[in-house]
Amino acid sequence: MTETRILCYGEIDLDIYLALDRLPTRELSAWTLDEFENVGGAAANSALWLANWGLPVRLAGHDLGADAPGAAVREVFARYPLLDARFVATHEGYRTPRCQCLVLPDGERSFISHWLDDMRMTAVTDAMLDGIDWINLDMSGPDEARVQAAQLAKSKAASVLVNDIYRADHAMLPYVDVLVMSAAVARSKASAHDPLDLALDLGAAGDCAVIVTDSSAPVTIVERDGKRSCILPPTVNALDTTGAGDIFKSGLLYGLLAGLPLPEAARWGVAAGSVCCQYAGTTQTLAPLAEVRAMLAHF
């Protein structure tokens, strides 16, 4: 795997990680148990884990500011020679996107995003897609840029992996090859539908495969031909679930580029996401590929 075959496109920011004993209320403050900054955003999370595993990967999407947070993000990117971040633009007088991740003792988290109204993105170009087999998209932001990215990718015969679509009439679906959706989010956004029924509807509408994750419950894979399979995630001590879905997609892509069929590639995704949950901060500690391989033995 020496050529760059994956483009991760979407969220890039600098996360402020805060481990709290509880969420604060109006009358009662929370205690900070741990605090640090690390690179975040769905696209950056996925790309950094892939590069750490020795897989060349390209990154683009959210722009950075010519400020201290932007410099901190670029310094991290520079540590990974297999990460191609040359399409991540920098602007003077622009604030690098930030996100506060509030993590509770059970590993669950809440987010506070900073200055989204000012957020800038660099559109996907032909040059970004040069040699790319898969584009990994997140839907954490305006749909238009993501849909245009998927359209251009398909015109270049690249496959499209995306997460978090919960409507069968979504403009993205005609361009999707594999959709990853969260059962928990589906229950919130499309409460009238059982998550698996919704997955079947989305797969039929987009003629795509759909993978349904559900925390520690079985992951369901619905292939394009309707064939279904399930994976029971291993039991782990979840320290922080932030970014687990992003790293699931990293593991899935690693398996797909290795030539594995979708259900086997999804096992890599489950293993990677399970490993990620055991560390504080999605990119503060990038687990080696050997640790993901070891996790596969627990299935």
Side-chain angles (χ1 to χ4, degrees):
M1 297 182 181
T2 57
E3 298 178 349
T4 304
R5 299 167 60 193
I6 297 173
L7 168 63
C8 293
Y9 182 83
E11 277 190 315
I12 304 168
D13 61 42
L14 186 66
D15 283 350
I16 305 161
Y17 175 93
L18 294 170
L20 305 176
D21 66 333
R22 62 186 302 278
L23 288 177
T25 64
R26 182 178 298 178
E27 299 296 335
L28 189 62
S29 62
W31 288 92
T32 300
L33 307 176
D34 195 8
E35 175 185 9
F36 54 79
E37 292 184 339
N38 68 167
V39 174
N45 290 339
S46 290
L48 282 167
W49 278 67
L50 288 165
N52 185 58
W53 294 339
L55 193 66
V57 60
R58 194 167 294 149
L59 175 64
H62 289 183
D63 299 345
L64 301 176
D67 53 11
V73 172
R74 289 203 172 278
E75 191 276 328
V76 171
F77 290 168
R79 298 177 199 165
Y80 298 92
L82 295 180
L83 176 63
D84 177 2
R86 60 197 160 99
F87 295 104
V88 179
T90 299
H91 304 282
E92 295 285 347
Y94 169 68
R95 295 179 292 188
T96 294
R98 307 295 303 276
C99 180
Q100 294 187 49
C101 303
L102 312 179
V103 182
L104 300 182
D106 63 359
E108 290 302 317
R109 68 277 188 266
S110 301
F111 303 107
I112 301 174
S113 296
H114 295 209
W115 34 83
L116 288 181
D117 289 344
D118 299 330
M119 189 269 295
R120 299 183 187 180
M121 291 189 76
T122 297
V124 169
T125 62
D126 288 347
M128 287 183 197
L129 291 166
D130 183 32
I132 295 300
D133 291 333
W134 281 90
I135 182 170
N136 174 19
L137 297 169
D138 65 70
M139 297 304 293
S140 304
D143 287 353
E144 184 178 1
R146 271 84 173 174
V147 173
Q148 290 176 351
Q151 289 175 325
L152 185 57
K154 295 303 288 185
S155 75
K156 300 289 185 182
S159 298
V160 175
L161 169 64
V162 67
N163 58 289
D164 290 337
I165 293 177
Y166 301 97
R167 297 190 344 255
D169 63 347
H170 197 287
M172 174 75 80
L173 268 180
Y175 310 103
V176 174
D177 292 280
V178 180
L179 166 64
V180 179
M181 56 172 277
S182 161
V185 176
R187 294 183 187 106
S188 173
K189 291 191 173 184
S191 58
H193 301 273
D194 175 82
L196 184 55
D197 289 340
L198 178 60
L200 294 171
D201 290 344
L202 293 170
D207 186 26
C208 61
V210 182
I211 299 175
V212 184
T213 64
D214 196 4
S215 186
S216 60
V219 173
T220 302
I221 300 99
V222 182
E223 298 180 64
R224 258 196 171 109
D225 61 4
K227 183 179 179 181
R228 301 185 206 178
S229 54
C230 291
I231 303 168
L232 180 62
T235 300
V236 298
N237 180 22
L239 180 63
D240 177 14
T241 58
T242 307
D246 307 332
I247 309 313
F248 173 92
K249 292 169 73 183
S250 297
L252 176 67
L253 284 166
Y254 190 92
L256 290 171
L257 262 68
L260 297 178
L262 184 63
E264 289 298 308
R267 291 181 74 247
W268 276 87
V270 174
S274 299
V275 169
C276 175
C277 289
Q278 297 180 98
Y279 293 97
T282 310
T283 65
Q284 177 75 353
T285 302
L286 301 179
L289 190 61
E291 197 165 330
V292 180
R293 290 184 189 276
M295 184 63 71
L296 287 168
H298 294 280
F299 283 60

